[in-house]
Structures are given as C-alpha cells and as structure tokens.
C-alpha cells in the first residue's frame, strides 16, 4: 500500500528525531545537575533547566507523533489483511 510505504520513512525520521531530542535533553539536564546549587539558581542555571524542560516536552510530543504514526500503519495493515 502506497500510504504505508510513505509512512515508514516518516516513522524512521521521527524515531531519529526522538533520539536526538532525548540526547540533547539529557545533555542539558546533566549540565544543570552538575552546577552548584548557587549556580542552579542563577540566570544561566535557570536557562539550562528551562532548555532541558522544553527539550523534554519536544521529545514527548515526538513520541506521541511516533505512536500515532505507528497506529496508522497498524490500522492500514489490518485493513489490507481483512
């Protein structure tokens, strides 16, 4: 089915994006965690924490997109096997 064939590379791209976002989030969180408590409260510390949170949100949304895309593929496969 043409739609399923077109969705497979989309799913792979989402998986790559999800992995990259997760890695970036972890790096930002590690930077924040390695700061002293005083620096965590500084403007730089707050910016690192917010960056990690935004990356976490983006990763979560990408995961949702992956799940929905996989559900669409699964649904199309069910339609073609029935």
């Amino acid at each position: 089915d043409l739609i399923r064939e077109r969705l497979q590379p989309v799913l792979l791209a989402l998986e790559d994006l999800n992995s990259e976002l997760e890695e970036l989030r972890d790096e930002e969180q590690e930077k924040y965690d390695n700061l002293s408590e005083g620096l965590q409260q500084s403007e730089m510390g707050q910016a690192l924490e917010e960056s990690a949170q935004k990356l976490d949100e983006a990763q979560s949304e990408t995961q949702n997109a992956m799940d929905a895309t996989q559900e669409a593929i699964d649904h199309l496969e069910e339609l073609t096997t029935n």
Side-chain angles (χ1 to χ4, degrees), residues 53-67:
Q53 289 171 349
K54 295 298 180 185
L55 288 165
D56 187 59
E57 291 171 17
Q59 187 270 330
S60 179
E61 292 298 326
T62 305
Q63 182 65 52
N64 290 340
M66 286 172 43
D67 294 344

Side-chain angles (χ1 to χ4, degrees), residues 2 8 15 17 25 30 35 48 53 69 75 79-80:
L2 182 59
Q8 284 298 335
E15 289 172 352
L17 177 60
R25 179 207 58 208
E30 186 176 345
L35 293 175
L48 282 171
Q53 289 171 349
T69 303
H75 183 68
L79 290 175
T80 59

Side-chain angles (χ1 to χ4, degrees), residues 6-59:
R6 290 177 62 195
L7 283 173
Q8 284 298 335
V10 170
L11 184 58
L12 291 174
L14 286 169
E15 289 172 352
D16 289 344
L17 177 60
N18 190 55
S19 294
E20 186 68 20
L21 287 168
E22 189 173 20
E23 186 176 314
L24 290 167
R25 179 207 58 208
D26 290 348
E27 288 174 14
E28 289 297 282
Q29 187 64 50
E30 186 176 345
K31 287 178 195 175
Y32 175 79
D33 291 344
N34 287 333
L35 293 175
S36 67
E37 190 173 318
L39 284 176
Q40 285 180 348
Q41 301 304 318
S42 72
E43 188 174 325
M44 179 188 68
Q46 295 299 306
L48 282 171
E49 183 178 38
E50 185 173 341
S51 177
Q53 289 171 349
K54 295 298 180 185
L55 288 165
D56 187 59
E57 291 171 17
Q59 187 270 330

